Amino acid sequence: MESSETALLIIDMINDFNFEHGNILAEKALKIADQIQLLKKQCEKENIPIIYINDHYNLWQAELNKVIEYCKNEKSESVIGKIKPTDKDYFLIKPRHSAFYGTALHTLLTQLQVKKLILSGIAGNICVLFTANDAYMREYPLLIPDNCIASVDDEDNHYAIRMMKNVMRAKIFTFKENTSISPLSSS
């Protein structure tokens, strides 16, 4: 297990989008999937661990392939195809909105010696925001690539990003391909 000062969390991108406004969120998830994939590739280059944290869909098994199979449908297939985890990535399930609540995330981050978190995924105003809050409460500095987070409503997404910046002291940035993460995480 390699250690890194920083880790990338990809929240709820393996999703079935079978809920109210799921079609809208699926479209927005597809728009950010390419950016998250580029961010993930940059993190891989810099040996930054990638941790997928996902709803469990009442499967209650942290078995990636079962979750993917359950989520695959015409709304989700293109998102999952772009963002699917590799064997090098970590995968955890979560029972509620926060990636920390009822999960092994804090233990994993401790073992990896992670001190800072990059948050990405959906929905920015719910699961990403709740995760950011819990990370802040645990004193993790946060990096938020604003083009790697989406919510059903754009105004809600902007509000969530503003809250992460103003309340949780997150560093907000727009990720661009081949942008090194190391300088961002050292400031």
Side-chain angles (χ1 to χ4, degrees), residues 64-134:
L64 172 63
N65 291 324
K66 284 184 182 183
V67 174
I68 287 174
E69 272 311 304
Y70 178 85
C71 289
K72 270 190 181 174
N73 60 46
E74 61 187 39
K75 290 183 272 190
S76 68
E77 214 156 9
S78 51
V79 174
I80 292 170
K82 289 179 184 235
I83 203 73
K84 186 177 176 183
T86 67
D87 291 341
K88 293 179 182 179
D89 301 327
Y90 298 93
F91 180 78
L92 300 172
I93 58 170
K94 63 182 180 67
R96 302 294 293 169
H97 304 307
S98 172
F100 286 94
Y101 179 79
T103 74
L105 180 60
H106 185 70
T107 302
L108 176 59
L109 295 173
T110 300
Q111 285 189 2
L112 294 172
Q113 300 175 351
V114 168
K115 307 273 188 272
K116 298 177 182 105
L117 297 175
I118 305 165
L119 302 186
S120 66
I122 57 173
N125 64 323
I126 304 170
C127 297
V128 177
L129 182 61
F130 282 49
T131 299
N133 184 68
D134 282 358

Side-chain angles (χ1 to χ4, degrees), residues 135-172:
Y136 176 74
M137 299 278 283
R138 288 168 175 80
E139 300 183 350
Y140 286 100
L142 298 169
L143 300 168
I144 310 294
D146 59 7
N147 57 339
C148 295
I149 293 173
S151 303
V152 169
D153 183 83
D154 291 340
E155 190 174 314
D156 289 346
N157 202 61
H158 294 306
Y159 175 76
I161 290 169
R162 199 166 54 249
M163 290 293 292
M164 288 184 264
K165 178 182 179 189
N166 295 339
V167 177
M168 296 159 220
R169 299 185 181 108
K171 181 175 187 169
I172 310 300

Side-chain angles (χ1 to χ4, degrees), residues 17-109:
F17 302 103
N18 284 328
F19 47 84
E20 186 178 1
H21 307 297
N23 289 337
I24 295 167
L25 193 55
E27 288 174 21
K28 293 187 178 190
L30 187 57
K31 287 180 184 174
I32 65 169
D34 287 330
Q35 279 306 123
I36 293 174
Q37 190 61 19
L38 292 172
L39 174 62
K40 180 181 172 185
K41 284 181 182 174
Q42 187 62 40
C43 288
E44 288 169 348
K45 280 185 205 173
E46 297 182 41
N47 294 316
I48 292 172
I50 292 118
I51 304 167
Y52 285 76
I53 187 114
N54 227 87
D55 283 338
H56 58 76
Y57 297 99
N58 287 322
L59 298 174
W60 287 108
Q61 295 171 336
E63 167 44 41
L64 172 63
N65 291 324
K66 284 184 182 183
V67 174
I68 287 174
E69 272 311 304
Y70 178 85
C71 289
K72 270 190 181 174
N73 60 46
E74 61 187 39
K75 290 183 272 190
S76 68
E77 214 156 9
S78 51
V79 174
I80 292 170
K82 289 179 184 235
I83 203 73
K84 186 177 176 183
T86 67
D87 291 341
K88 293 179 182 179
D89 301 327
Y90 298 93
F91 180 78
L92 300 172
I93 58 170
K94 63 182 180 67
R96 302 294 293 169
H97 304 307
S98 172
F100 286 94
Y101 179 79
T103 74
L105 180 60
H106 185 70
T107 302
L108 176 59
L109 295 173

Side-chain angles (χ1 to χ4, degrees), residues 35 144-148 172-177 179 184:
Q35 279 306 123
I144 310 294
D146 59 7
N147 57 339
C148 295
I172 310 300
F173 68 102
T174 301
F175 179 74
K176 293 181 175 75
E177 188 173 7
T179 299
L184 292 168

